[in-house]
Amino acid sequence: MTARRIALLGAESTGKTQLAADLATHWRSRGRRVIVVDEVLREWCAREGRTPRPEEQEPIAREQERRVDEAAASGAEIVIADTTAVMVAVYSAMLFADGSLLQFALQRQRTYHATLVTGLDLPWVADGLQRDGPHVRPPVDAQVRELLARGEVPYQVVYGNGPQRLAHALRALGEADDLGDGGAALAACCERCGDGTCERHLFTRLVGARGGQGV
């Protein structure tokens, strides 16, 4: 059986790790075999006590993907990647003007069955060496979306806090029938539904409203 690979991408402090844990708990409670592949960069920074240099980016990206392959070959039904090589490539390009990892990251991203991008609606929280500050999140988010679009990798953006974010993720993954009462919450919170098309419609309406006000 081929494991279903789910990638969680997003800027720092946007809830990727929590969402990975919540998805795993949800599916395990329903008897499904799930493996979460943790973020290698976080482990690396904790071990080395610093952030990686430019030449250390590629080994981190490749190790992240190697662990995903290993998990997928272990008999799991679902593999959740708490980040992928895409995030390493994006930060490497932004911090060091090094785009050498982008092609590898896109090739790898196409091996995932679903890609979720965590929205910027959660408050920023400091977390050791990895996080630079809330000002970094919007440009990283933009770069992630641009790279996925350039590589024609489909993705869904998920919003909300706690159970709502989990419900939006499940809906984006096509498992809305498994939401229970969460389905009603989704209908009542369309502005954070994580539907990319809906998101564009809302942005268009917002720009139109501002234009009408002469802003």
Side-chain angles (χ1 to χ4, degrees):
M1 179 182 65
T2 301
R4 185 185 185 190
R5 302 183 185 209
I6 297 170
L8 304 184
L9 306 179
E12 61 185 33
S13 192
T14 55
K16 296 186 295 296
T17 299
Q18 185 62 56
L19 180 58
D22 290 345
L23 283 168
T25 298
H26 174 85
W27 281 322
R28 286 168 182 159
S29 71
R30 286 154 175 76
R32 302 173 80 171
R33 299 187 302 280
V34 183
I35 293 178
V36 175
V37 179
D38 295 329
E39 184 179 15
V40 171
L41 176 60
R42 179 185 296 274
E43 174 189 308
W44 193 98
C45 290
R47 183 180 69 245
E48 300 296 328
R50 61 177 176 86
T51 56
R53 294 187 288 266
E55 68 275 12
E56 294 167 325
Q57 301 289 321
E58 182 175 353
I60 291 172
R62 291 189 178 277
E63 176 61 13
Q64 185 75 53
E65 297 301 329
R66 187 198 68 78
R67 293 186 187 185
V68 171
D69 287 343
E70 182 179 63
S74 69
E77 182 181 353
I78 301 171
V79 174
I80 304 171
D82 177 9
T83 204
T84 73
V86 161
M87 296 310 306
V88 180
V90 165
Y91 279 110
S92 187
M94 291 186 64
L95 296 175
F96 307 116
D98 179 8
S100 62
L101 291 176
L102 295 174
Q103 190 58 40
F104 165 73
L106 279 178
Q107 289 174 347
R108 285 293 311 185
Q109 199 62 36
R110 295 188 186 104
T111 69
Y112 290 84
H113 297 90
T115 298
L116 301 182
V117 176
T118 48
L120 303 180
D121 54 321
L122 297 182
W124 183 84
V125 178
D127 185 21
L129 292 170
Q130 282 185 281
R131 297 187 177 173
D132 297 315
H135 63 284
V136 176
R137 299 200 305 176
V140 170
D141 179 77
Q143 288 295 318
V144 169
R145 297 189 193 210
E146 180 183 339
L147 180 61
L148 294 175
R150 189 195 321 162
E152 298 183 338
V153 177
Y155 68 93
Q156 286 284 329
V157 184
V158 294
Y159 295 102
N161 196 7
Q164 187 184 67
R165 205 175 193 86
L166 172 62
H168 294 169
L170 289 169
R171 181 188 184 205
L173 293 169
E175 303 210 10
D177 291 343
D178 201 23
L179 292 177
D181 293 338
L186 288 173
C189 301
C190 182
E191 74 276 7
R192 296 195 185 281
C193 69
D195 184 318
T197 302
C198 182
E199 185 179 46
R200 287 193 292 272
H201 288 170
L202 287 161
F203 179 75
T204 301
R205 289 200 296 272
L206 177 62
V207 171
R210 288 180 175 175
Q213 297 169 2
V215 178

